[in-house]
């Protein structure tokens, strides 16, 4: 069974440009999470989808970030326009729904390393 | 401030020795999880311990949880060079929907 995949693995863009990151969760996983690790800091939660609905987007830094999960399968995270402080590694994770609170292991993708110059 | 703080931040040991990493957190939790990240790779789930559990084992890993002290420890016994990685604890807070709060991690180097 394929794990969580993310594309691209690495993106280098200039300040002001737009970048779209993609995450394909494990098939059948209704929960999908985005996290980010900025250099030297801890991994921080960005948002959580249940199927196609945003369950919690409290971690989204500002309105330059837009996440979608049309159809409840793969998700995209768009940064527009990108700023220098957006550089970091963006992780996606998924987990099945209905395992019960307190029992959920999250399966992480390899991450997308974003560099904004 | 971010909850989930590990110590030490960096640990260097010889192969065969045991490695102990600690994690503290601030609020009540549903569970606490430990993850490993090899350089340039994704996070790999190691073990999950629920708030009503005190100790859990998985292979060479032993995790303890003390909810009264809001702390956890990860022990890797008989370490191997392949255990070299960064280790993170993450908490799933009570009332949340699975959102994980991560610590800054412990970088472990196991010398052959």
């Amino acid at each position: 069974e394929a794990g969580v995949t993310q594309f691209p693995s690495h993106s280098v863009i200039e300040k002001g440009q737009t970048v779209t990151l993609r995450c394909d969760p494990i098939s059948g996983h209704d929960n999908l999470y985005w996290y980010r690790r900025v250099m030297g800091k801890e991994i921080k939660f960005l948002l959580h989808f249940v199927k196609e609905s945003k369950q919690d987007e409290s971690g989204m830094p500002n309105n330059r970030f837009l996440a979608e999960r049309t159809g409840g399968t793969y998700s995209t995270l768009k940064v527009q326009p990108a700023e220098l402080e957006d550089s970091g590694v963006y992780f996606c994770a998924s987990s099945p729904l209905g395992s019960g609170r307190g029992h959920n292991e999250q399966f992480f993708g390899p991450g997308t390393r974003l560099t904004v110059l | 401030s971010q909850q989930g703080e590990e110590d030490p931040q960096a640990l260097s040991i010889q192969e065969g020795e045991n490695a102990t990493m600690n994690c503290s957190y601030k609020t009540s939790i549903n569970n606490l999880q430990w993850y490993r990240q090899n350089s340039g790779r994704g996070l790999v789930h190691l073990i999950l311990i629920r708030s009503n559990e005190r100790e859990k084992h998985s292979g060479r890993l032993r995790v303890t949880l003390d909810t009264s002290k809001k702390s956890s420890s990860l022990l890797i016994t008989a370490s191997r060079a392949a255990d070299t990685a960064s280790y993170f604890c993450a908490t799933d807070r009570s009332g949340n929907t699975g959102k994980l709060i991560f610590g800054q991690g412990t970088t472990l180097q196991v010398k052959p």
Side-chain angles (χ1 to χ4, degrees):
Chain A
E1 180 183 322
V4 176
T5 58
Q6 293 186 245
F7 182 83
S9 57
H10 194 182
S11 178
V12 181
I13 61 173
E14 293 195 350
K15 176 182 170 180
Q17 289 186 320
T18 297
V19 64
T20 300
L21 313 180
R22 173 172 169 144
C23 168
D24 286 78
I26 292 173
S27 177
H29 281 191
D30 289 328
N31 287 311
L32 188 149
Y33 303 85
W34 283 98
Y35 295 87
R36 174 175 79 167
R37 188 180 193 196
V38 171
M39 182 68 72
K41 303 248 177 120
E42 66 273 18
I43 300 165
K44 283 194 174 181
F45 167 84
L46 296 179
L47 89 159
H48 170 210
F49 284 100
V50 176
K51 298 183 180 178
E52 68 275 10
S53 299
K54 290 177 187 173
Q55 187 75 13
D56 180 356
E57 51 184 331
S58 61
M60 294 287 264
N62 51 61
N63 59 10
R64 294 186 293 103
F65 288 75
L66 175 65
E68 294 181 324
R69 193 182 181 196
T70 307
T73 54
Y74 70 90
S75 175
T76 57
L77 179 64
K78 182 163 73 174
V79 185
Q80 179 182 31
E83 298 289 344
L84 299 178
E85 65 264 24
D86 300 333
S87 295
V89 181
Y90 290 76
F91 292 102
C92 174
S94 71
S95 69
L97 194 64
S99 318
R101 190 170 287 175
H103 299 266
N104 283 347
E105 167 190 349
Q106 292 183 20
F107 297 83
F108 279 77
T112 293
R113 181 174 295 278
L114 175 63
T115 303
V116 183
L117 303 175
Chain B
S1 63
Q2 191 71 231
Q3 78 170 33
E5 298 188 0
E6 287 99 332
D7 77 88
Q9 290 189 338
L11 182 61
S12 181
I13 59 175
Q14 293 295 134
E15 208 165 26
E17 293 181 336
N18 295 341
T20 300
M21 289 161 266
N22 303 298
C23 168
S24 62
Y25 58 92
K26 294 185 172 64
T27 64
S28 58
I29 60 173
N30 288 324
N31 64 63
L32 186 144
Q33 303 177 36
W34 284 91
Y35 286 84
R36 182 186 73 216
Q37 184 186 24
N38 292 83
S39 180
R41 309 283 288 275
L43 293 161
V44 174
H45 183 266
L46 295 176
I47 197 163
L48 180 153
I49 186 165
R50 299 169 195 155
S51 59
N52 62 352
E53 296 176 314
R54 293 296 166 258
E55 187 171 314
K56 205 160 182 181
H57 296 256
S58 176
R60 293 183 296 111
L61 305 180
R62 173 177 168 254
V63 168
T64 62
L65 179 65
D66 186 335
T67 52
S68 66
K69 294 181 179 177
K70 291 187 170 56
S71 68
S72 173
S73 68
L74 171 67
L75 168 67
I76 304 174
T77 59
S79 64
R80 304 167 182 168
D83 294 329
T84 294
S86 292
Y87 292 81
F88 298 90
C89 72
T91 53
D92 177 355
R93 282 169 34 183
S94 298
N96 275 4
T97 55
K99 157 185 168 180
L100 294 177
I101 309 294
F102 282 86
Q104 295 208 1
T106 293
T107 300
L108 172 66
Q109 182 186 29
V110 181
K111 300 174 185 175

